[in-house]
Each structure stands twice: as structure tokens, then as C-alpha cells.
């Protein structure tokens, strides 16, 4: 096998080069952008994925109770009261 059978990997020319002097680093903006501020605020509120899923499951349980359990309980007690109302 000859040495010319492989290709050397080189850094792409479009990749940004790191700042070479401290003055270039000082000129970069030090404050976070507005989108990163919004992300930090949402994390600060304490709304994690687990809490969000817990709230969703509570909403589903509430929906189950109001759509299924309450009508059957009402039907049962309605028939019991109708028997005594005759």
C-alpha cells in the first residue's frame, strides 16, 4: 500500500478561528442574549419536566373523574333516591 492511499483530515476553512489576543476576547459581548435570559427564567421558576408531567397527569385524572366516575356515581345515587321517592 502506498502513502497516497489515505486522505488527511484538515480543519474546514469555514470554521471560525478562536480569538488570538485578549483584546478580541474583551470586545465580545459579555451579557447574555434575551433568549438565554428567557431560558434561565423558566428554569428559575422551578418548572422541571417531572413537575410538568405531574401536572399533566393530574389534569388527566381530573378529566377522568369528571367524565366517567361522576356520571356513574350520579346515576347510581339517582336511582337509589328515585326508589325512595315513590
Amino acid at each position: 500500500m502506498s502513502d497516497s492511499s489515505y486522505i488527511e483530515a484538515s480543519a474546514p476553512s469555514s470554521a471560525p478561528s478562536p480569538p488570538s489576543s485578549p483584546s478580541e476576547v474583551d470586545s465580545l459581548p459579555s451579557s447574555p442574549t434575551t433568549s438565554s435570559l428567557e431560558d434561565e427564567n423558566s428554569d428559575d421558576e422551578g418548572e422541571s419536566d417531572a413537575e410538568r408531567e405531574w401536572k399533566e397527569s393530574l389534569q388527566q385524572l381530573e378529566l377522568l373523574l369528571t367524565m366517567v366516575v361522576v356520571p356513574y356515581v350520579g346515576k347510581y345515587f339517582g336511582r337509589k333516591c328515585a326508589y325512595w321517592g315513590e
Side-chain angles (χ1 to χ4, degrees), residues 12-84:
S13 61
S14 64
S17 61
S20 59
S21 67
S23 63
E24 290 180 22
V25 174
D26 292 337
S27 67
L28 294 174
S30 61
S31 64
T33 61
T34 57
S35 63
S36 64
L37 282 175
E38 291 171 358
D39 293 339
E40 289 175 6
N41 289 339
S42 66
D43 291 339
D44 291 341
E45 292 173 358
E47 183 87 15
S48 67
D49 290 337
E51 290 177 9
R52 197 173 309 114
E53 288 181 19
W54 174 252
K55 288 179 181 179
E56 288 177 6
S57 66
L58 285 178
Q59 288 176 345
Q60 291 174 356
L61 183 62
E62 181 183 356
L63 184 64
L64 177 73
L65 285 173
T66 57
M67 299 298 284
V68 176
V69 176
V70 172
Y72 278 111
V73 170
K75 181 179 178 182
Y76 174 78
F77 283 113
R79 289 182 178 175
K80 289 291 183 184
C81 293
Y83 175 77
W84 291 108

Side-chain angles (χ1 to χ4, degrees), residues 1-10:
M1 229 169 158
S2 67
D3 290 333
S4 64
S5 63
Y6 66 92
I7 300 173
E8 283 187 36
S10 62

